[in-house]
Amino acid sequence: MGSSAEKVVAVIMVGGPTKGTRFRPLSLNIAKPLFPLAGQPMVYHPISACKRIPNLAQIFLVGFYEEREFALFASSVSNELKVPVRYLKEEKPHGSAGGLYNFRDLIMEDNPSQIFLLNCDVCCSFPLPEMLEAHKRYGGMGTILVIRVSADSANQFGELVADPETNELLHYTEKPETFVSDRINCGVYVFTPDIFMAIQGVSTQRKDRANLRRMSSFEALQSATRSVPTDFVRLDQDILSPLAGKKKLYTYETMDFWEQIKTPGMSLKCSGLYLSQFRVTSPHLLASGDGAKTATIIGDVYVHPSAKVHPTAKIGPNVSISANARIGAGARLISCIILDDVEIKENAVVIHSIVGWKCSVGKWSRVQAGGDYNAKLGITILGEAVTVEDEVVVINSIVLPNKTLNVSVQEEIIL
């Protein structure tokens, strides 16, 4: 069972502070991968999914954040899940494949036979054990998790064509201008250690081309400003596209949910998806209540044990309430994330919104939005320590930290 030849490691790419700009104002306070969805940090969901992989030896988080931002989280999640979780800081961008290669010695220290690679900002059911079984059956170098989407949205992602019989990857193109396929890359992979040879091959080719190039000094200067560093290797364009159709890469299709978490709006949607998944995977995490001694709970709701919710409040569906939050009498919460130390006062209403840390929503106030998760103002966001005074209505707006609202606003960004 536990022979070294069977060991598996997982690498989760968490990005860096320059990558989370679309996640503002929420990423002003916290690294995007640590933002809570369904009561747990975003990156916790893929980590806990990795725990289900047989013979998992270690999980690595790779990104550009300072180590101190992840030290406490890595330590606590290692203790909770009883699997080593280590954060590795990249000093400069190496690309999605180059980042993996940069830490190859650490990744290979347990001599794993398989390496999972996941993107942190992906929300899905992570069918990793099933994917690993399929990968072993295929006998290739790598297997990509794929999903079928509408033809209209496919060009926002990496589109691919696979053999319907063998599932071999035949063609791959990143965000094509014309329609190729309605199957897309989910950003979840499993590779054999041969992936490191493939990445090294790309770097070597680049070096060889640079050495062979014979140019005038002016052309050399022009090229230097355009050329990609030899150790910068992108997984999609530099590895997947060239190796498609060479019997090295295969696909595993998920029939479950899948989303990318690029914006606060999508984080609210994905929090709801994870809450609904808890019904199957972790029903003990979901709140319940009938309005007698506890608040009325409708649908999937997470309430942190330290939060105080008045019995006359009505909560749900798709609500996540974080630590030390206080929800007052008669409050109504629908489709929202309430962060740490928030106070929602009596008879306030919060719908399709994210209420930031230490915010206060006054009596009879409304904080709401239309719930279009893809629109810029599709949900209302209150940054940290925003005060909404009594009887104020905030609709489809984004409010930056430390503001006090004493008049109603609609479709505004308040700086």
Side-chain angles (χ1 to χ4, degrees):
M1 263 293 285
S3 71
S4 62
E6 294 173 337
K7 280 187 180 169
V8 180
V9 298
V11 180
I12 302 175
M13 295 298 196
V14 299
T18 55
K19 298 283 184 187
T21 52
R22 279 185 283 178
F23 214 70
R24 291 174 183 161
L26 302 172
S27 56
L28 297 173
N29 293 76
I30 193 170
K32 178 184 165 184
L34 299 179
F35 182 80
L37 307 179
Q40 296 286 4
M42 186 187 295
V43 70
Y44 179 90
H45 298 281
I47 289 174
S48 61
C50 289
K51 175 69 176 166
R52 302 198 311 271
I53 302 167
N55 301 311
L56 179 71
Q58 198 158 187
I59 299 172
F60 298 95
L61 310 178
V62 175
F64 301 101
Y65 294 98
E66 293 301 324
E67 286 182 44
R68 66 175 181 274
E69 295 191 63
F70 279 84
L72 188 63
F73 170 75
S75 170
S76 66
V77 80
S78 297
N79 292 333
E80 181 191 336
L81 299 179
K82 304 292 184 282
V83 62
V85 177
R86 293 169 65 182
Y87 178 71
L88 304 174
K89 182 178 187 283
E90 283 194 86
E91 296 305 326
K92 63 169 189 169
H94 293 94
S96 45
L100 191 69
Y101 188 77
N102 186 44
F103 293 111
R104 63 195 177 282
D105 293 340
L106 284 170
I107 291 165
M108 289 304 296
E109 68 184 5
D110 287 305
N111 196 25
S113 57
Q114 313 291 345
I115 301 158
F116 272 91
L117 178 64
L118 301 88
N119 284 310
C120 165
D121 61 356
V122 161
C123 166
C124 67
S125 59
F126 296 106
L128 306 182
E130 300 85 348
M131 193 177 166
L132 181 59
E133 283 302 310
H135 171 66
K136 288 177 178 175
R137 281 199 311 274
Y138 298 149
M141 182 184 80
T143 299
I144 308 166
L145 187 69
V146 306
I147 193 168
R148 183 173 281 175
V149 297
S150 69
D152 297 341
S153 62
N155 67 352
Q156 299 167 37
F157 310 100
E159 294 182 26
L160 51 91
V161 178
D163 186 301
E165 300 296 322
T166 66
N167 293 321
E168 185 200 347
L169 180 69
L170 300 177
H171 179 71
Y172 183 88
T173 180
E174 185 68 17
K175 296 178 182 170
E177 291 184 13
T178 55
F179 179 75
V180 173
S181 165
D182 60 358
R183 282 187 175 83
I184 63 161
N185 175 2
C186 290
V188 177
Y189 317 85
V190 57
F191 296 108
T192 67
D194 291 344
I195 184 67
F196 292 120
M197 294 293 288
I199 299 168
Q200 187 179 19
V202 173
S203 293
T204 305
Q205 272 183 338
R206 283 217 185 109
K207 283 174 189 161
D208 291 346
R209 278 202 297 269
N211 291 338
L212 286 169
R213 207 177 281 130
R214 296 286 179 268
M215 296 184 274
S216 72
S217 57
F218 175 72
E219 284 175 318
L221 191 65
Q222 291 279 82
S223 172
T225 60
R226 289 195 309 263
S227 64
V228 178
T230 54
D231 61 352
F232 187 92
V233 183
R234 301 159 301 182
L235 189 63
D236 32 32
Q237 291 101 320
D238 298 327
I239 303 291
L240 303 184
S241 293
L243 291 181
K246 296 185 177 173
K247 295 198 172 1
K248 290 192 174 182
L249 299 174
Y250 292 81
T251 63
Y252 179 81
E253 187 167 346
T254 177
M255 301 300 174
D256 233 327
F257 64 90
W258 180 88
E259 295 289 351
Q260 258 190 322
I261 315 166
K262 295 294 186 191
T263 61
M266 287 311 298
S267 76
L268 183 52
K269 179 178 184 179
C270 292
S271 186
L273 290 171
Y274 281 137
L275 285 170
S276 62
Q277 191 189 21
F278 284 172
R279 281 198 178 275
V280 179
T281 60
S282 313
H284 64 281
L285 291 175
L286 292 174
S288 60
D290 58 4
K293 292 186 178 178
T294 57
T296 302
I297 302 294
I298 300 165
D300 303 318
V301 172
Y302 168 82
V303 179
H304 190 276
S306 67
K308 300 277 190 292
V309 182
H310 196 277
T312 60
K314 198 171 182 180
I315 314 293
N318 180 19
V319 173
S320 175
I321 300 175
S322 297
N324 301 311
R326 300 175 304 289
I327 312 300
R332 182 69 177 104
L333 309 185
I334 302 172
S335 184
C336 58
I337 295 174
I338 306 297
L339 294 170
D340 296 359
D341 304 306
V342 164
E343 182 175 17
I344 309 291
K345 294 184 179 176
E346 298 95 286
N347 302 304
V349 175
V350 181
I351 304 175
H352 297 308
S353 300
I354 297 176
V355 181
W357 306 265
K358 302 184 182 72
C359 281
S360 172
V361 177
K363 299 172 187 176
W364 297 100
S365 288
R366 296 181 72 93
V367 175
Q368 66 183 78
D372 180 349
Y373 299 119
N374 293 305
K376 187 173 184 182
L377 295 176
I379 70 165
T380 287
I381 303 165
L382 305 184
E384 184 185 29
V386 167
T387 298
V388 177
E389 295 194 347
D390 295 351
E391 301 178 27
V392 168
V393 179
V394 183
I395 300 177
N396 291 76
S397 295
I398 296 172
V399 185
L400 266 65
N402 305 305
K403 298 285 180 289
T404 296
L405 298 183
N406 52 18
V407 294
S408 296
V409 294
Q410 182 168 353
E411 295 186 355
E412 286 191 42
I413 298 173
I414 298 170
L415 304 174

